[in-house]
Amino acid sequence: MASQPDNGSRLWRGMRALIFGDDHETTLRDQIEEAIDEAETQRPVRGDLSPHERQMLRNLLHFGDRTAGEVAVTRGEIVAVPETIGFDALVTALAEAGHSRLPVYGESLDEVTGMVLVKDVFAAMQGPPEGRSVKALVREPLFVPESMGVLDLLARMRAQRVHLAIVVDEFGGTEGLITIEDIVEEIVGEIEDEHDEAGAQLLVALDDGLWEADARVELEELAQAVDPRFEDEEDEVDTLGGLAFLLAGHILEPGEDVCHPSGWRIECVAADRTKMTRLRLHAPGEAPVPA
């Protein structure tokens, strides 16, 4: 009597083929997605994949299609310091940013010359004052093209033991920044850390048709909840903060605003010297409030 096919083994073979390569990758991806769809319509079985695990599996199926440019933090959200910064100011910048690494630039952000690690700064703080040279702390950055696939990027970052890469466009300009955490989030979802505001909502509807949003809110989410015309800009930027920066050409200060082609007015509610953090959306036709 012929044995029945082992669906679990077939699924595992499909996963291995997706990760390590196979001539029938597209077909295997479709088969695995169909298996996940079927599982979601059936009664839960003890020991089966949880909804979160199924979502991670879906993310993994399309992980290899993503590029560095698609995953990276956009240029308008990059927190960086000039190479002329003093040591004390560097310590302050690291504390305010809440990041373990910061890019260092020359004349502009298109001239990234290195990066500094908070662990190197802490080590320098324990040494003599004459050893606190910012120039001596700068490490060589990793530059990658925006078209590089995330699988190749992850392999390269692991091989070179770096956790941060600068994404550049075809002209060598800085397009964005990407960390290993950004890559992992493509599979497991958003990773909140101790520097993220607990309980802060990314998008909130206020009275009189106003909306308040975190600068990190995705334009896709904004288009679905507020106005589909916001998604027209998605090819150039991914977040509301990036859109405001693109339209204004600079980081908006609190109280400053800029108009979107759809008529929506984007007002900066909160910002620091390196980025916008909270923005307010005013519906088309609403008159600006006098300063």
Side-chain angles (χ1 to χ4, degrees):
M1 181 177 177
S3 60
Q4 293 297 316
D6 185 342
N7 290 332
S9 297
R10 189 166 64 241
L11 185 61
W12 171 239
R13 287 197 297 271
M15 286 302 304
R16 289 188 60 186
L18 282 170
I19 296 172
F20 299 109
D22 188 277
D23 292 335
H24 305 287
E25 183 178 37
T26 301
T27 301
L28 288 168
R29 180 183 287 114
D30 290 342
Q31 290 178 349
I32 296 170
E33 282 197 295
E34 287 176 7
I36 298 172
D37 291 338
E38 290 177 5
E40 291 183 341
T41 61
Q42 297 171 355
R43 183 176 60 86
V45 178
R46 183 181 179 86
D48 200 358
L49 295 174
S50 68
H52 183 61
E53 288 173 322
R54 288 198 293 268
Q55 184 57 53
M56 288 175 58
L57 188 53
R58 285 187 188 278
N59 294 342
L60 183 59
L61 289 174
H62 300 280
F63 181 67
D65 297 331
R66 306 286 282 170
T67 65
E70 293 171 333
V71 176
V73 170
T74 58
R75 178 190 175 101
E77 298 177 278
I78 294 178
V79 180
V81 295
E83 58 185 8
T84 55
I85 193 171
F87 186 83
D88 291 340
L90 174 61
V91 173
T92 301
L94 282 163
E96 290 179 351
H99 298 317
S100 60
R101 299 164 178 80
L102 289 181
V104 179
Y105 63 89
E107 293 295 325
S108 71
L109 196 55
D110 286 322
E111 188 188 339
V112 174
T113 57
M115 64 177 179
V116 289
L117 277 61
V118 67
K119 67 176 184 178
D120 292 340
V121 173
F122 284 159
M125 292 174 67
Q126 302 302 313
E130 58 269 21
R132 298 174 185 175
S133 166
V134 174
K135 185 176 181 180
L137 297 175
V138 175
R139 298 194 181 198
E140 185 176 349
L142 172 63
F143 295 98
V144 299
E146 56 184 335
S147 59
M148 176 178 279
V150 290
L151 283 174
D152 293 334
L153 174 58
L154 182 59
R156 184 171 175 184
M157 294 176 80
R158 290 183 62 191
Q160 298 188 18
R161 293 187 173 186
V162 295
H163 288 246
L164 180 150
I166 304 298
V167 181
V168 296
D169 59 25
E170 57 185 316
F171 305 106
T174 300
E175 182 71 17
L177 174 153
I178 190 167
T179 65
I180 286 184
E181 180 180 294
D182 295 323
I183 298 175
V184 172
E185 285 182 337
E186 288 298 302
I187 300 175
V188 303
E190 189 74 18
I191 300 173
E192 300 287 342
D193 61 28
E194 63 274 19
H195 300 292
D196 293 320
E197 295 182 17
Q201 292 182 278
L202 291 183
L203 184 62
V204 182
L206 306 176
D207 295 333
D208 301 323
L210 294 175
W211 292 80
E212 189 164 311
D214 190 293
R216 299 170 297 172
V217 69
E218 297 282 338
L219 291 183
E220 181 179 358
E221 179 181 348
L222 204 62
Q224 293 175 353
V226 182
D227 191 320
R229 290 175 290 182
F230 279 113
E231 203 164 12
D232 294 341
E233 306 287 346
E234 199 175 3
D235 288 341
E236 296 186 63
V237 291
D238 299 315
T239 64
L240 179 59
L243 175 59
F245 181 86
L246 178 69
L247 293 172
H250 63 274
I251 297 173
L252 297 176
E253 296 182 359
E256 188 179 3
D257 60 38
V258 65
C259 284
H260 186 264
S262 64
W264 283 88
R265 186 161 54 88
I266 306 172
E267 177 193 0
C268 179
V269 176
D272 55 37
R273 60 189 180 87
T274 59
K275 64 183 183 301
M276 294 167 275
T277 55
R278 298 291 292 181
L279 296 160
R280 185 170 294 143
L281 299 172
H282 299 259
E286 179 189 333
V289 179

